[in-house]
Short mmCIF file of all heavy atoms in Angstrom, two decimals:
data_model
loop_
_atom_site.label_atom_id
_atom_site.label_comp_id
_atom_site.label_asym_id
_atom_site.label_seq_id
_atom_site.Cartn_x
_atom_site.Cartn_y
_atom_site.Cartn_z
N PRO M 197 7.80 19.43 8.38
CA PRO M 197 7.66 18.60 7.19
C PRO M 197 8.94 18.50 6.38
O PRO M 197 9.31 17.42 5.92
CB PRO M 197 6.55 19.29 6.40
CG PRO M 197 5.76 20.02 7.42
CD PRO M 197 6.74 20.46 8.45
N LEU M 198 9.63 19.63 6.21
CA LEU M 198 10.86 19.61 5.42
C LEU M 198 11.93 18.76 6.10
O LEU M 198 12.63 17.98 5.45
CB LEU M 198 11.37 21.05 5.22
CG LEU M 198 12.65 21.19 4.41
CD1 LEU M 198 12.48 20.60 3.02
CD2 LEU M 198 13.08 22.65 4.33
N ARG M 199 12.07 18.89 7.42
CA ARG M 199 13.06 18.09 8.14
C ARG M 199 12.74 16.60 8.05
O ARG M 199 13.64 15.76 7.93
CB ARG M 199 13.12 18.53 9.60
CG ARG M 199 13.76 19.90 9.82
CD ARG M 199 13.57 20.36 11.24
NE ARG M 199 14.30 19.53 12.18
CZ ARG M 199 15.51 19.80 12.66
NH1 ARG M 199 16.13 20.89 12.25
NH2 ARG M 199 16.08 19.00 13.52
N LEU M 200 11.46 16.27 8.11
CA LEU M 200 11.07 14.87 7.99
C LEU M 200 11.48 14.29 6.64
O LEU M 200 12.03 13.19 6.56
CB LEU M 200 9.56 14.74 8.17
CG LEU M 200 9.03 14.62 9.60
CD1 LEU M 200 7.51 14.66 9.60
CD2 LEU M 200 9.54 13.36 10.26
N VAL M 201 11.19 15.04 5.57
CA VAL M 201 11.51 14.55 4.23
C VAL M 201 13.02 14.41 4.05
O VAL M 201 13.51 13.36 3.59
CB VAL M 201 10.93 15.49 3.16
CG1 VAL M 201 11.41 15.08 1.77
CG2 VAL M 201 9.40 15.47 3.21
N LEU M 202 13.76 15.44 4.41
CA LEU M 202 15.21 15.40 4.22
C LEU M 202 15.85 14.30 5.07
O LEU M 202 16.73 13.57 4.61
CB LEU M 202 15.81 16.76 4.57
CG LEU M 202 15.42 17.93 3.65
CD1 LEU M 202 16.04 19.22 4.14
CD2 LEU M 202 15.82 17.65 2.21
N THR M 203 15.40 14.17 6.33
CA THR M 203 15.95 13.13 7.19
C THR M 203 15.59 11.75 6.67
O THR M 203 16.43 10.83 6.67
CB THR M 203 15.41 13.30 8.63
OG1 THR M 203 15.72 14.61 9.10
CG2 THR M 203 16.04 12.27 9.55
N GLY M 204 14.35 11.58 6.21
CA GLY M 204 13.93 10.29 5.67
C GLY M 204 14.74 9.89 4.45
O GLY M 204 15.16 8.73 4.33
N VAL M 205 14.97 10.82 3.55
CA VAL M 205 15.76 10.52 2.35
C VAL M 205 17.19 10.15 2.73
O VAL M 205 17.76 9.17 2.21
CB VAL M 205 15.75 11.73 1.38
CG1 VAL M 205 16.74 11.52 0.25
CG2 VAL M 205 14.36 11.95 0.83
N ALA M 206 17.78 10.90 3.64
CA ALA M 206 19.15 10.61 4.07
C ALA M 206 19.24 9.24 4.75
O ALA M 206 20.15 8.45 4.48
CB ALA M 206 19.65 11.70 5.00
N MET M 207 18.28 8.94 5.63
CA MET M 207 18.27 7.65 6.31
C MET M 207 18.07 6.51 5.32
O MET M 207 18.69 5.44 5.45
CB MET M 207 17.16 7.63 7.37
CG MET M 207 17.45 8.47 8.58
SD MET M 207 18.82 7.81 9.58
CE MET M 207 18.84 8.99 10.93
N ALA M 208 17.22 6.72 4.34
CA ALA M 208 16.99 5.67 3.34
C ALA M 208 18.27 5.34 2.58
O ALA M 208 18.59 4.16 2.36
CB ALA M 208 15.90 6.11 2.36
N LEU M 209 19.00 6.36 2.19
CA LEU M 209 20.27 6.13 1.51
C LEU M 209 21.27 5.41 2.42
O LEU M 209 22.01 4.52 1.99
CB LEU M 209 20.86 7.46 1.03
CG LEU M 209 20.05 8.18 -0.07
CD1 LEU M 209 20.65 9.55 -0.34
CD2 LEU M 209 20.01 7.35 -1.33
N GLY M 210 21.27 5.79 3.70
CA GLY M 210 22.17 5.12 4.63
C GLY M 210 21.81 3.66 4.83
O GLY M 210 22.70 2.79 4.84
N PHE M 211 20.53 3.36 4.97
CA PHE M 211 20.10 1.96 5.12
C PHE M 211 20.41 1.15 3.86
O PHE M 211 20.78 -0.03 3.95
CB PHE M 211 18.61 1.90 5.43
CG PHE M 211 18.27 2.25 6.84
CD1 PHE M 211 17.32 3.22 7.12
CD2 PHE M 211 18.89 1.61 7.90
CE1 PHE M 211 17.00 3.56 8.43
CE2 PHE M 211 18.58 1.93 9.21
CZ PHE M 211 17.64 2.91 9.48
N GLN M 212 20.25 1.75 2.70
CA GLN M 212 20.57 1.04 1.46
C GLN M 212 22.06 0.72 1.39
O GLN M 212 22.45 -0.35 0.91
CB GLN M 212 20.14 1.88 0.26
CG GLN M 212 18.64 1.97 0.08
CD GLN M 212 18.23 2.92 -1.01
OE1 GLN M 212 19.06 3.43 -1.76
NE2 GLN M 212 16.94 3.20 -1.13
N ALA M 213 22.89 1.63 1.88
CA ALA M 213 24.33 1.36 1.91
C ALA M 213 24.65 0.20 2.86
O ALA M 213 25.46 -0.68 2.53
CB ALA M 213 25.08 2.62 2.34
N VAL M 214 24.00 0.19 4.02
CA VAL M 214 24.22 -0.91 4.97
C VAL M 214 23.77 -2.23 4.35
O VAL M 214 24.46 -3.25 4.47
CB VAL M 214 23.45 -0.63 6.28
CG1 VAL M 214 23.51 -1.85 7.20
CG2 VAL M 214 24.02 0.58 6.98
N MET M 215 22.63 -2.22 3.69
CA MET M 215 22.13 -3.44 3.04
C MET M 215 23.09 -3.93 1.97
O MET M 215 23.36 -5.13 1.85
CB MET M 215 20.75 -3.19 2.43
CG MET M 215 20.13 -4.42 1.78
SD MET M 215 18.49 -4.08 1.11
CE MET M 215 18.89 -2.87 -0.16
N SER M 216 23.65 -3.02 1.19
CA SER M 216 24.60 -3.41 0.15
C SER M 216 25.85 -4.04 0.74
O SER M 216 26.38 -5.01 0.20
CB SER M 216 24.98 -2.18 -0.69
OG SER M 216 23.84 -1.63 -1.32
#
Side-chain angles (χ1 to χ4, degrees):
L198 180 59
R199 289 170 67 96
L200 275 174
V201 173
L202 294 178
T203 304
V205 171
M207 288 292 182
L209 294 174
F211 283 127
Q212 289 173 8
V214 172
M215 182 179 64
S216 299

